[in-house]
Amino acid sequence: MIFITVMPVNKNALLRYKTIDRCLRNKYRRWTLDDLVEACSDALYEMEGITRGVSVRTVQADIQMMRSDKLGYNAPIEVYDNKYYRYEDPDYSITDSPIADETYALVIKAVRMIRHKEASSVEEIAEILEKVGARLNTLLIYQ
């Protein structure tokens, strides 16, 4: 039996990412950092009953995480007029993120290994599937 461990996902962080994404997709409103903090605090209260709110630092860290490749988002978040946040690409959404080339290559490698029964070990296949699972975990949570 093979056990694949998947990186744990912080539900509150994902809720904040989804909230920030929803805000930045709204092309008819200008979003300041304070607006995003308020929207995230409201979402956490509505969905989880959390009343303590979200700090500015937390939302700034969330934006940096969304911009990075760590979760595969590479979100094109920009600041304009030194105050407002938006997506550089107005059609971007973290929920529409395609599978990265690196992840796709791992999936193809695993499928070929299984299909051709290459002289690969179960551990090697499990390692590949673990990497793929970690990458896809954040994408699947939104579906």
Side-chain angles (χ1 to χ4, degrees):
M1 181 177 282
I2 299 172
F3 292 98
I4 298 176
T5 58
V6 177
M7 190 170 78
V9 177
N10 181 325
K11 181 173 59 170
N12 293 341
L14 289 176
L15 183 57
R16 293 191 312 269
Y17 301 155
K18 192 172 181 181
T19 301
I20 292 167
D21 179 64
R22 188 182 70 247
C23 292
L24 298 182
R25 285 185 297 141
N26 181 350
K27 302 167 193 166
Y28 303 105
R29 178 164 176 192
R30 299 174 118 195
W31 294 95
T32 65
L33 186 57
D34 288 336
D35 293 333
L36 295 173
V37 168
E38 183 178 341
C40 288
S41 296
D42 290 348
L44 284 173
Y45 177 73
E46 289 172 19
M47 300 296 287
E48 299 295 324
I50 297 172
T51 57
R52 68 181 182 276
V54 176
S55 71
V56 170
R57 181 181 285 173
T58 296
V59 173
Q60 287 173 323
D62 290 345
I63 289 170
Q64 289 306 315
M65 181 63 74
M66 291 171 70
R67 284 175 170 157
S68 78
D69 187 39
K70 288 182 181 178
L71 298 176
Y73 295 148
N74 294 311
I77 300 171
E78 67 178 3
V79 179
Y80 65 101
D81 293 340
N82 293 320
K83 185 175 183 177
Y84 302 106
Y85 289 79
R86 68 178 172 201
Y87 284 134
E88 185 177 342
D89 174 0
D91 296 324
Y92 180 85
S93 174
I94 62 172
T95 60
D96 296 336
S97 293
I99 295 176
D101 291 342
E102 177 184 306
T103 304
Y104 181 75
L106 287 172
V107 171
I108 295 300
K109 182 177 179 181
V111 169
R112 284 184 181 146
M113 290 172 90
I114 293 167
R115 183 180 294 150
H116 298 296
K117 298 177 184 160
E118 293 178 5
S120 59
S121 67
V122 172
E123 290 82 17
E124 189 177 2
I125 293 172
E127 182 181 325
I128 290 170
L129 293 177
E130 184 175 345
K131 289 178 185 176
V132 171
R135 286 291 272 183
L136 295 180
N137 190 42
T138 55
L139 294 176
L140 297 176
I141 198 132
Y142 290 109
Q143 297 178 356

